[in-house]
Amino acid sequence: MFYTVSAVRLMRIEMGGAFADLLNEKGKGSGDNEMGYVERTLGFRTKNLDDRDLRLVTDIVGGTIRWRRYLDYLIGSLCHDDKAFRSMEPLLLQILRIGFYEILKLDMPSYAVVDENVRLAKVSLRPGAGNMVNGILRRLVLLKESNSLPLPKLEGDDRAQARALAILYSHPVWMVRRWTKHLGQEKAIKLMMWNNDDPSFSLRANSGKGVTRADLVMQFNMLKVPHEVSLHLDHFVRVKTGLQSIIQAGLLKQGLCAVQDESAGLIVSVVNPQPGDSIVDCCAAPGGKTLYMASQMQGQGMLYAIDINKGRLRILKETAKLHQVDGVITTIPSDLRTFAESCQLKSDKVLLDAPCSGLGVLSKRADLRWNRRLEDLEELKKLQEELLDAASILVKPGGVLVYSTCSIDPEENEERVDAFLLRHPEFRIDPVDRYVPPGFVTKHGFYSSDPVKHSMDGAFAARLIRTL
């Protein structure tokens, strides 16, 4: 009955009751709580799902969210009535989205997809809903088999082409226009294809506990999890499938490793933490970079982890204990802007991993593309400037300020650094070519990871030195 769980979970995510998190230990929010939610929503109980079904739920939910604009365009086209589509009840729409996704993107046997979704519509809604699902899905199967899906053509002016691309590759129109402008159409399409593909993950061996990458590789071999070692970072291993097996084997719970993208690891390389350093991590939670920096300090020095969210800082501290790096970490619950004004602290290195649009991590955050608006960028740019000004106060003369994001947008990255340097002539750029491989160094000496080129999340970092 994984169709039922998928449909209900999609409703929860769309209505803001759940986040499409790809790392849930039990398969994305599954278990007794989820089954109870299904029962309350639909009025009947479903059987508990095994691990294989839970993985399928994860695939269906993530894929259906990613391809939502594409699926909705086709559902609307096959309804032949725009009003009927727009007024469709939420559960019926989710059932159709799931059916369309499975037929078009998972290539599942169409007869099974039709039967299961028709049955779900009849049981959870009413017989008439089942008949409607049956008619629309069968029409879709015929169109797919005859290679005549009613999709928009890539023609007309830039705006028309952006609208067509937004449907074909299922992204908001404003993102398509922005990327086409910054990257060109061909690269924008490749980026959208990357965002729509199943994400790959990296795991970092926790050297704070004495775990090496070789230890991690041995564990993955025992679990029969396919993997490859990072080409760029000594502690990192990549996995495309099998993350649930690693989680269920307890490797994360025991603190032997952490899920961390290589793009984030390379930002830590830019900071270059050393034993004995005094370091401030300005927006530290959830703490991935904090923990990695602490593990490289070998128990010497001090790392101040500042964050406005007390609850997330508490979790960071607990994880630091688990990873055996808590001896160098002091957590400070505070808004960086007020903390910097009143604080006498001056540190060797300050990392500001700033709140950003997250446009570099859309492959992992399936729902984020639909929750971001163009207006958000303007608000974020203002916040980034305020935080950068505050972070700069904490850097001692000769010290280092690293500004980083998980965005690929120049307005949040290079342009914010340029504006900061105009306001703060006491800082200069320290090129990152001594800290990261040459393929990640921009012409201005910044760090930049490119999802298409490097097969990892998009990220950015600038290393700045205070000269006065």
Side-chain angles (χ1 to χ4, degrees):
M1 212 48 187
F2 54 81
Y3 286 94
T4 314
V5 177
S6 301
V8 171
R9 195 177 292 174
L10 283 164
M11 281 173 58
R12 289 179 70 192
I13 290 164
E14 193 152 320
M15 293 169 181
F19 159 56
D21 183 1
L22 299 170
L23 295 177
N24 187 286
E25 214 161 307
K26 293 181 180 170
K28 294 185 71 173
S30 56
D32 291 341
N33 287 348
E34 180 120 35
M35 293 310 173
Y37 191 88
V38 169
E39 186 173 17
R40 290 195 302 279
T41 305
L42 302 184
F44 59 85
R45 184 85 182 166
T46 62
K47 69 181 175 107
N48 287 331
L49 302 182
D50 60 24
D51 287 346
R52 186 183 157 280
D53 281 348
L54 283 171
R55 275 194 290 275
L56 189 52
V57 168
T58 298
D59 291 345
I60 290 169
V61 170
T64 303
I65 291 169
R66 284 189 187 89
W67 286 101
R68 190 172 87 192
R69 183 182 285 268
Y70 172 85
L71 301 172
D72 284 0
Y73 179 85
L74 287 171
I75 292 167
S77 300
L78 269 62
C79 277
H80 297 312
D81 180 354
D82 194 50
K83 192 177 172 202
F85 171 67
R86 298 205 175 280
S87 61
M88 196 176 282
E89 55 205 299
L91 182 56
L92 180 57
L93 178 57
Q94 301 302 356
I95 292 169
L96 283 170
R97 283 173 176 166
I98 289 168
F100 273 56
Y101 174 68
E102 289 173 321
I103 289 167
L104 295 172
K105 297 297 179 184
L106 292 185
D107 284 325
M108 291 172 80
S110 52
Y111 63 89
V113 174
V114 174
D115 286 351
E116 284 289 345
N117 282 291
V118 167
R119 190 179 307 143
L120 175 57
K122 284 182 174 175
V123 172
S124 61
L125 292 165
R126 59 197 166 278
N131 296 338
M132 182 183 180
V133 169
N134 185 50
I136 292 174
L137 288 182
R138 288 187 184 282
R139 212 174 307 145
L140 175 70
V141 171
L142 290 173
L143 288 168
K144 186 194 174 194
E145 286 172 353
S146 62
N147 204 22
S148 51
L149 292 171
L151 289 166
K153 289 186 169 51
L154 196 55
E155 57 191 16
D157 62 13
D158 289 350
R159 282 173 179 269
Q161 290 198 28
R163 283 195 297 272
L165 286 170
I167 291 163
L168 293 168
Y169 296 98
S170 196
H171 278 69
V173 176
W174 73 265
M175 284 186 196
V176 177
R177 293 191 67 190
R178 203 168 181 85
W179 292 339
T180 304
K181 176 184 154 192
H182 288 314
L183 307 171
Q185 191 178 93
E186 186 184 346
K187 193 166 178 201
I189 289 171
K190 284 181 180 172
L191 177 59
M192 290 188 284
M193 288 169 70
W194 164 266
N195 291 339
N196 288 336
D197 202 4
D198 290 334
S200 58
F201 293 93
S202 294
L203 291 108
R204 173 177 62 80
N206 177 19
S207 58
K209 259 192 170 174
V211 181
T212 66
R213 181 163 70 181
D215 297 330
L216 220 49
V217 166
M218 190 170 71
Q219 293 273 2
F220 294 172
N221 285 335
M222 283 164 57
L223 292 168
K224 296 186 168 54
V225 170
H227 58 272
E228 52 187 59
V229 296
S230 167
L231 300 173
H232 316 295
L233 291 159
D234 293 343
H235 300 103
F236 284 68
V237 184
R238 287 187 179 196
V239 297
K240 185 77 176 173
T241 58
L243 186 60
Q244 291 297 338
S245 303
I246 293 166
I247 293 168
Q248 284 162 1
L251 270 60
L252 297 178
K253 250 186 188 158
Q254 295 165 43
L256 303 179
C257 62
V259 176
Q260 187 165 38
D261 198 75
E262 289 166 278
S263 62
L266 286 162
I267 289 171
V268 171
S269 298
V270 171
V271 178
N272 191 32
Q274 297 294 320
D277 273 347
S278 162
I279 301 176
V280 180
D281 189 351
C282 292
C283 298
K289 296 179 187 72
T290 315
L291 297 170
Y292 186 24
M293 288 192 290
S295 73
Q296 297 198 335
M297 293 168 73
Q298 298 170 19
Q300 299 167 53
M302 186 48 68
L303 205 170
Y304 301 94
I306 303 171
D307 201 273
I308 199 165
N309 189 314
K310 279 185 186 176
R312 294 173 88 200
L313 268 188
R314 195 162 51 244
I315 294 167
L316 189 160
K317 192 71 174 169
E318 286 165 9
T319 312
K321 276 187 186 145
L322 176 68
H323 282 224
Q324 294 178 3
V325 295
D326 54 310
V328 295
I329 295 176
T330 298
T331 54
I332 302 171
S334 177
D335 183 318
L336 174 68
R337 292 165 292 187
T338 51
F339 176 79
E341 278 173 18
S342 59
C343 178
Q344 301 303 308
L345 180 70
K346 302 287 179 193
S347 289
D348 301 314
K349 290 162 186 170
V350 174
L351 170 63
L352 172 61
D353 190 45
C356 69
S357 64
L359 293 180
V361 296
L362 296 184
S363 75
K364 290 192 177 69
R365 291 281 306 274
D367 53 344
L368 184 60
R369 69 186 73 176
W370 309 122
N371 297 330
R372 276 281 174 254
R373 302 165 306 141
L374 185 55
E375 302 83 72
D376 296 340
L377 278 182
E378 291 308 313
E379 292 170 24
L380 283 164
K381 279 155 49 179
K382 182 173 178 291
L383 176 61
Q384 287 155 1
E385 299 215 325
E386 290 174 4
L387 293 172
L388 252 175
D389 288 342
S392 69
I393 297 168
L394 305 176
V395 184
K396 73 179 192 185
V400 172
L401 171 61
V402 174
Y403 170 75
S404 66
T405 72
C406 58
S407 176
I408 53 171
D409 197 284
E411 288 190 19
E412 295 185 273
N413 296 338
E414 293 89 347
E415 290 184 26
R416 294 285 62 70
V417 175
D418 291 344
F420 171 79
L421 291 171
L422 283 174
R423 296 194 306 277
H424 294 271
E426 71 275 19
F427 281 86
R428 66 171 175 81
I429 296 167
D430 183 21
V432 300
D433 52 355
R434 287 182 295 156
Y435 308 102
V436 297
F440 294 93
V441 183
T442 72
K443 63 182 179 184
H444 297 297
F446 302 138
Y447 156 75
S448 176
S449 59
D450 178 326
V452 175
K453 181 178 169 187
H454 300 120
S455 298
M456 63 177 72
D457 289 343
F460 170 87
R463 185 180 164 100
L464 310 170
I465 288 183
R466 183 179 203 121
T467 54
L468 298 171

